[in-house]
């Protein structure tokens, strides 16, 4: 797949003016908006729920919204975030007792189906659910907080997942989330990554347009 999307993660945005932050980062060249949803149970942090997504849609944001559910249990929130306006929904295998059922629920809600793999999670599970997936999200940090450093062992996983996708002959997007910045973006892209989730490297920059243009240059 030739798709190459920058997905600013609002976890690093200024929540006192979230609507403006999202509009500004999209106008600066961001492709899709990434929602990191955490419940202080599956991961040690608490972020936001479907009401925030609904308010962003009501504000007038029409771009693709990529919802990453780091919550357990997960099924009720799949439905709630779909109803609120999600386009992509990614869950983790550890967050549900019946992964096939939860993945099918995402599909039945009309959203693209994603599976997130944590740094210490085996890739073996992909063998059993590959036919259900639209997106594989590799976490390159341990989920929970923004601003962490990229875990180098992710490169080995990227190589393995890229081969799995290519050998499957399916249109599955490869997404990476965590610690992505100008210094490592080009190397990450070399593994055929399609979606780059970037939080603090974008939202902590003084000029969104400049940082996104610099990142786009690395991808070309």
């Amino acid at each position: 797949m030739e798709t190459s999307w920058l997905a600013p993660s609002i976890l690093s945005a200024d929540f006192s003016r979230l609507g403006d932050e999202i509009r500004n980062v999209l106008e600066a060249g961001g492709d899709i908006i990434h929602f990191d949803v955490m419940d202080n149970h599956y991961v040690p942090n608490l972020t936001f729920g479907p009401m925030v997504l609904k308010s962003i849609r009501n504000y007038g944001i029409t771009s693709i919204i990529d919802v990453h559910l780091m919550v357990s249990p997960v099924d009720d929130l799949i439905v709630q975030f779909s109803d609120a306006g999600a386009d992509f929904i990614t869950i983790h295998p550890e967050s549900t007792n019946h992964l096939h059922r939860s993945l099918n629920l995402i599909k039945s809600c009309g959203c693209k189906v994603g599976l997130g793999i944590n740094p210490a999670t085996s890739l073996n599970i992909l063998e059993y659910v590959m036919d259900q997936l639209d997106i594989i999200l590799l976490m390159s940090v341990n989920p929970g907080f923004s601003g962490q450093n990229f875990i180098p062992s992710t490169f080995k996983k990227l190589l393995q997942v890229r081969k799995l996708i290519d050998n499957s002959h399916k249109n599955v997007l490869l997404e990476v989330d965590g610690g992505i910045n100008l210094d490592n973006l080009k190397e990450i892209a070399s593994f055929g990554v399609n979606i780059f989730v970037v939080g603090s490297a974008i939202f902590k920059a003084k000029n969104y347009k400049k940082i996104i243009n610099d990142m786009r240059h690395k991808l070309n």
Side-chain angles (χ1 to χ4, degrees):
M1 251 189 206
E2 297 299 321
T3 304
S4 183
W5 284 333
L6 288 174
S9 168
I10 66 165
L11 187 60
S12 299
D14 179 354
F15 274 74
S16 69
R17 51 189 190 93
L18 185 57
D20 289 340
E21 283 272 77
I22 292 175
R23 188 180 299 282
N24 290 341
V25 83
L26 289 170
E27 290 178 352
D31 297 302
I32 65 181
I33 295 299
H34 188 82
F35 265 58
D36 283 310
V37 181
M38 307 178 192
D39 64 355
N40 200 35
H41 177 70
Y42 178 69
V43 292
N45 197 1
L46 182 65
T47 56
F48 36 76
M51 290 175 61
V52 174
L53 175 49
K54 184 65 175 176
S55 70
I56 292 304
R57 289 301 194 200
N58 290 340
Y59 181 78
I61 299 300
T62 59
S63 70
I64 291 173
I65 293 184
D66 175 25
V67 173
H68 179 193
L69 293 180
M70 291 166 276
V71 303
S72 180
V74 73
D75 286 359
D76 284 347
L77 284 174
I78 288 172
V79 176
Q80 290 183 47
F81 272 95
S82 170
D83 290 345
D87 298 290
F88 303 167
I89 296 181
T90 293
I91 65 173
H92 286 259
E94 302 92 347
S95 68
T96 175
N97 291 325
H98 304 284
L99 182 57
H100 279 102
R101 184 176 296 160
S102 297
L103 294 174
N104 282 332
L105 178 59
I106 298 173
K107 185 176 181 180
S108 71
C109 288
C111 297
K112 294 294 186 183
V113 181
L115 186 67
I117 305 293
N118 287 331
T121 298
S122 171
L123 298 176
N124 292 341
I125 197 164
L126 294 175
E127 176 183 352
Y128 303 99
V129 297
M130 197 72 171
D131 61 334
Q132 294 179 271
L133 302 180
D134 299 300
I135 304 160
I136 297 172
L137 168 60
L138 285 186
M139 292 300 299
S140 43
V141 299
N142 287 300
F145 301 94
S146 63
Q148 298 182 70
N149 292 327
F150 185 93
I151 296 175
S153 61
T154 306
F155 288 123
K156 179 180 178 181
K157 276 190 167 181
L158 280 170
L159 181 62
Q160 294 171 325
V161 174
R162 183 75 262 168
K163 287 182 177 178
L164 284 171
I165 292 172
D166 292 344
N167 291 337
S168 75
H169 303 292
K170 296 182 180 298
N171 291 327
V172 177
L173 295 168
L174 177 53
E175 182 172 7
V176 179
D177 182 357
I180 298 176
N181 53 50
L182 280 175
D183 294 331
N184 58 24
L185 182 61
K186 188 170 184 177
E187 185 174 6
I188 295 168
S190 70
F191 290 86
V193 174
N194 304 112
I195 304 175
F196 304 82
V197 179
V198 187
S200 56
I202 289 178
F203 282 107
K204 302 307 179 187
K206 293 181 179 179
N207 187 318
Y208 293 166
K209 189 170 183 62
K210 183 180 185 305
I211 187 65
I212 289 173
N213 284 345
D214 289 346
M215 288 184 169
R216 193 77 63 193
H217 180 72
K218 294 279 187 179
L219 296 176
N220 294 332

